Amino acid sequence: MKKIFALALCAVMMLSVLAGCGGKSDAPADNTPAQNEPAATPDAAPDAAPEAGGTIGVCIYQFTDAFMTTYRNALQEILEGKGYKVTTVDGANDQAKQNEQINTFITQGVDALIINPVMTSAADQIIATVQAAGIPTVLINREPTAEQMAVYDKLVYVGCDAAQSGTFQGELILETPNGGDINGDGKISYIMVQGDPENIDAQLRTEYSVKALTDAGKEVEQLNLTRGDWMRERGQEIVANDLAQFGNQVEVVFCNNDDMAIGALQSIQAAGRKVNEDIYLVGVDALDAALNEVSNGNMTGTVLNDAVGQATAAVEQMEALLGGKTFAAGEQSVYVDYVKVTPDNVADFMG
């Protein structure tokens, strides 16, 4: 009987020791999640982003930009749908303010950053900051140079090739019945409403919209080029002034984005002009308001800047970075194609 009792006591002691060992192995000290960071699920692959998500900081250059509003809402929806905790901040078109926001996110210990720079000329400083912190970062909408990005292999840019959008604008004019030469004088006379000339997208859209015309053998005449800062009110003001100055000489109005094109349309109509009859008007972004105007014959066309497609690609690349992916120099740009929108296909893009 004493022998049986001794064996039983020994078994109980062994189970107690095993239980104590099991408790320690379940949570080793060096695998404790950082603050605000979810614990990995048992079946998560070592190189995969945590299924439950993490904490993401999103910096937008300016909330009042219509296109970036669509973009940031898409980002928010996609990220939250995947379980990420998302904080999105407004740079208010102030680079110093955005720099502070980036530093605050780093101090808070976010897992990744998605940044729409206020100024591409500030890319060096932004990249140096995130590199020093070792934060995986996706830049969106405003592209630095390949040389600037090459210094940090946990950095990727997601956007569109702005030259393509400009080319498509020019092609929309070339595809009109008279190829943009409404008065038949052998040249296309145009005004250009530019976004922010410091922005590479504004530069390339401005250059390549006209280049498409000259590459097709057309003679062109620039009547005016004015900075509109992507704003509808500025588009309206600029085109009102240009129509007052140049009158019927203006055959084409190029706008670097749809918001300025909508403003331009208001001035065109106020001046008694008729789009697609005595003047042409094109934009970029395919905002809902512009799609409606294309459908109603009040815009010659626009170019789809696919906000949802870009947001989806940005999140995909962010998750690749979180999973341990690095990007080699010269391979840090991921592009989503633009699409020409005309009266013939506009219904395909309307909700």
Side-chain angles (χ1 to χ4, degrees), residues 52-63:
T55 303
I56 311 301
V58 178
C59 298
I60 301 299
Y61 96 96
Q62 184 167 251
F63 275 12

Side-chain angles (χ1 to χ4, degrees), residues 24-39:
K24 290 180 181 177
S25 65
D26 285 345
D30 59 354
N31 283 340
T32 302
Q35 187 176 6
N36 297 327
E37 188 175 42

Side-chain angles (χ1 to χ4, degrees), residues 107-154:
T107 300
Q108 292 171 345
V110 296
D111 297 294
L113 286 167
I114 298 176
I115 302 173
N116 165 215
V118 172
M119 301 170 60
T120 51
S121 58
D124 287 325
Q125 181 179 355
I126 292 171
I127 293 168
T129 300
V130 298
Q131 180 184 26
I135 302 290
T137 300
V138 181
L139 299 179
I140 60 171
N141 188 248
R142 296 179 170 183
E143 184 176 12
T145 66
E147 291 75 20
Q148 287 174 311
M149 292 191 288
V151 301
Y152 187 36
D153 63 2
K154 292 183 181 178

Side-chain angles (χ1 to χ4, degrees), residues 3-263:
K3 186 174 182 179
I4 293 171
F5 177 78
L7 288 170
L9 180 61
C10 182
V12 169
M13 292 176 66
M14 288 178 68
L15 286 170
S16 177
V17 170
L18 288 170
C21 292
K24 290 180 181 177
S25 65
D26 285 345
D30 59 354
N31 283 340
T32 302
Q35 187 176 6
N36 297 327
E37 188 175 42
T41 54
D43 58 350
D47 292 333
E51 287 186 12
T55 303
I56 311 301
V58 178
C59 298
I60 301 299
Y61 96 96
Q62 184 167 251
F63 275 12
T64 56
D65 184 297
F67 173 73
M68 289 312 302
T69 296
T70 303
Y71 198 139
R72 66 184 165 89
N73 288 342
L75 272 175
Q76 187 98 15
E77 182 177 350
I78 294 167
L79 287 166
E80 290 181 348
K82 287 176 169 286
Y84 292 99
K85 180 181 178 182
V86 186
T87 301
T88 304
V89 293
D90 180 6
N93 206 25
D94 182 337
Q95 188 60 61
K97 180 175 183 177
Q98 186 176 76
N99 292 343
E100 292 177 4
Q101 292 168 338
I102 293 169
N103 286 324
T104 298
F105 276 137
I106 291 171
T107 300
Q108 292 171 345
V110 296
D111 297 294
L113 286 167
I114 298 176
I115 302 173
N116 165 215
V118 172
M119 301 170 60
T120 51
S121 58
D124 287 325
Q125 181 179 355
I126 292 171
I127 293 168
T129 300
V130 298
Q131 180 184 26
I135 302 290
T137 300
V138 181
L139 299 179
I140 60 171
N141 188 248
R142 296 179 170 183
E143 184 176 12
T145 66
E147 291 75 20
Q148 287 174 311
M149 292 191 288
V151 301
Y152 187 36
D153 63 2
K154 292 183 181 178
L155 177 79
V156 62
Y157 170 78
V158 174
C160 295
D161 179 0
Q164 183 188 50
S165 63
T167 299
F168 283 176
Q169 282 191 304
E171 290 178 356
L172 287 168
I173 299 303
L174 292 171
E175 290 162 6
T176 60
N178 48 33
D181 183 13
I182 293 174
N183 61 20
D185 66 353
K187 63 184 178 183
I188 300 170
S189 301
Y190 70 91
I191 59 175
M192 180 72 66
V193 186
Q194 193 175 38
D196 174 1
E198 196 273 341
N199 182 293
I200 189 64
D201 282 11
Q203 296 169 20
L204 293 176
R205 288 174 187 173
T206 297
E207 176 185 355
Y208 279 82
S209 57
V210 178
K211 187 176 184 296
L213 304 182
T214 57
D215 284 352
K218 301 291 185 179
E219 182 181 345
V220 299
E221 177 187 24
Q222 178 180 287
L223 298 172
N224 197 22
L225 182 155
T226 308
R227 172 178 179 156
D229 288 319
W230 313 110
M231 298 169 59
R232 184 173 303 192
E233 296 78 8
R234 288 287 293 138
Q236 182 179 16
E237 176 187 349
I238 291 165
V239 174
N241 290 337
D242 285 353
L243 289 177
Q245 180 177 354
F246 300 106
N248 291 335
Q249 289 178 260
V250 181
E251 296 173 295
V252 175
V253 179
F254 286 111
C255 294
N256 280 174
N257 77 343
D258 279 345
D259 231 19
M260 294 189 297
I262 296 299

Side-chain angles (χ1 to χ4, degrees), residues 300-336:
T300 306
T302 184
V303 181
L304 172 65
N305 193 4
D306 187 357
V308 175
Q310 290 178 67
T312 300
V315 173
E316 288 174 351
Q317 297 305 320
M318 181 203 76
E319 291 191 311
L321 288 168
L322 287 173
K325 181 175 180 178
T326 56
F327 287 84
E331 299 177 2
Q332 290 172 275
S333 293
V334 176
Y335 294 122
V336 177

